[in-house]
Amino acid sequence: MKRTVIIDALKSEALGQPIHVCGWVRSRRGNKNVSFIALNDGSTIKNIQIVADLSKFSEEQLKPVTTGACLGATGVLVASQGAGQSVEIQLTDLEVFGTADPEKYPLQKKGLSMEYLRTIAHLRPRTNTFGAVFRIRHNMAMAIHTYFHEHGYFYFHTPLITASDCEGAGQMFQVTTKNLYNLKFDENGQIDYSDDFFGKQAALTVSGQLEGELAAMALGKIYTFGPTFRAENSNTPRHLAEFWMIEPEVAFIDKDELMDLEEDFIKFCVRWALEHCMDDLEFLNQFVDKGLIERLRSVIDTDFVRLPYTEGINILQEAIKNGKKFEFPCNWGDDLSSEHERYLVEQHFGKPVIMTDYPKDIKAFYMKINEDDKTVQGTDVLFPQIGEIIGGSVREADFDKLNAEIERRQIPMKDMWWYLDTRRFGAAPHAGFGLGFERLMLFVTGMQNIRDVIPFPRTPKNADF
Ligand code: 4AD
Ligand code: MG
């Protein structure tokens, strides 16, 4: 018989009709007359209840039906007597696809810690929490593609292997086929890459922006959505060594339009979650973060604050005068740390903040320099609980100014002539941003650690699974 997925079975009105479902046993309980099996196939957080009449099934037949086992169950769909579900299946035929030894199956117990579940990342998608998180992750990816497609953007694929360091922070993972035990050095003692696979030093990309800018100078509006890699040794709940980033790049927009885009895009994604993932959000709201749904609703109804960096520093200085203690300094020119960002967002304003016009020395080389020659047109979005969720900017489109900045920073441009060509030929004002997909996931799910919103996290000293 053809399989019905459980999300459809639970909505079915074909009472009295035969039905066939497959899935993994979440629990089995009962008495000497009847056994109740909660079956889940991943299509929804909800289980379907399978009722086995013990006058028709022997204890021997039901013995392999333990938590974690995989079954095919055929029976009759009936209205449920019990609370919590409208329909259930009266079992007529049972097929056990795979058993799960109760002595050994790690998800036997309830209430396992997130830390423990990370050590069994190959099995954790079978828990309610991770099932919910990964269904939401899929839906957020769909939201992102839908938003850009409907707004006339083209999905542009930028390379993962690159020879340029977009952020200039030197946090790249090298890609090489060289024998690391037998390296060749040149007369200056530098590694000679001429016989390496790419004939030069190559690495995994930290951002698709530079190539994204090339595309925006031809297609007008593009976005990327793919993995990015950072070898930053930050063991925090908000950093991954491999994360996914969404990077739109748009010709002919200015700073205000860029901020409008950032705000509209995030709100669209959050609204999408509320419209498409309510069952999973309700579960997370109940068991992971009691304020989750309210926080999601409040973000779509609120105007984000737009705050120049200099004013932000003034607010923080004022707070310090009034007795607020921070671990790190925050004088004009300092890069704000997450405690400062969270103070502004969570305590001072109580809503998301788009911070603008940062000192140029704490930002990347490509940002448009303001007339004051001290600040650049960056537009980072800071979120409650998360801190920085978006990093964005208007780009410096003027060849001479960009080149002067590159020289001032002594950035080796030998391999980046192609990037400068966008400023040589038909340069256009343009702007864009990068949204960390897992930071968005943290916000939308209420999960506390970024390792728990990506299936297989890569962090310092961890590349398991
Ligand atoms: O602020 P970042 O470094 O900006 C860029 O890479 C620009 N090239 C983007 C652009 O303008 N096209 O990174 C952008 C976002 C951050 O705001 C954060 O959400 C996320 O990427 N991010 C990380 N997420 C997880 N783990 C990390 N190690 C991250 N580093 C950045
Ligand atoms: Mg940033």
Side-chain angles (χ1 to χ4, degrees), residues 167 207 209 230 232 240 247 388-391 395 433-434 436:
E167 295 302 298
S207 161
Q209 177 192 326
R230 298 211 180 163
E232 52 188 328
L240 290 165
E247 297 185 274
E388 183 190 324
I389 191 164
I390 277 182
R395 317 306 189 191
F433 67 80

Side-chain angles (χ1 to χ4, degrees), residues 166-167 171 206-210 224 228-230 232 234 238-249 363-364 366-367 380-381 386 388-393 395 431-440 450:
C166 172
E167 295 302 298
Q171 298 175 322
V206 296
S207 161
Q209 177 192 326
L210 301 183
T224 71
T228 39
F229 308 87
R230 298 211 180 163
E232 52 188 328
S234 321
R238 282 182 290 278
H239 288 88
L240 290 165
E242 175 181 295
F243 63 99
W244 287 62
M245 185 150 57
I246 297 97
E247 297 185 274
E249 195 68 37
K363 289 293 184 192
Y366 50 70
M367 295 193 187
D380 288 3
V381 181
I386 314 295
E388 183 190 324
I389 191 164
I390 277 182
S393 74
R395 317 306 189 191
F433 67 80
L435 169 84
F437 188 46
E438 287 75 21
R439 302 242 175 122
L440 175 69
I450 201 161

Side-chain angles (χ1 to χ4, degrees), residues 360-361 364-366 369 396 398-414 416 420 424:
K360 66 178 178 186
D361 286 326
F365 73 96
Y366 50 70
I369 300 176
E396 183 58 72
D398 181 275
F399 179 88
D400 292 330
K401 287 186 188 161
L402 183 63
N403 210 27
E405 192 55 25
I406 286 167
E407 277 171 14
R408 189 179 75 85
R409 294 178 188 236
Q410 301 182 325
I411 299 173
M413 291 305 282
K414 179 171 68 68
M416 297 243 276
L420 285 172
R424 279 194 190 98

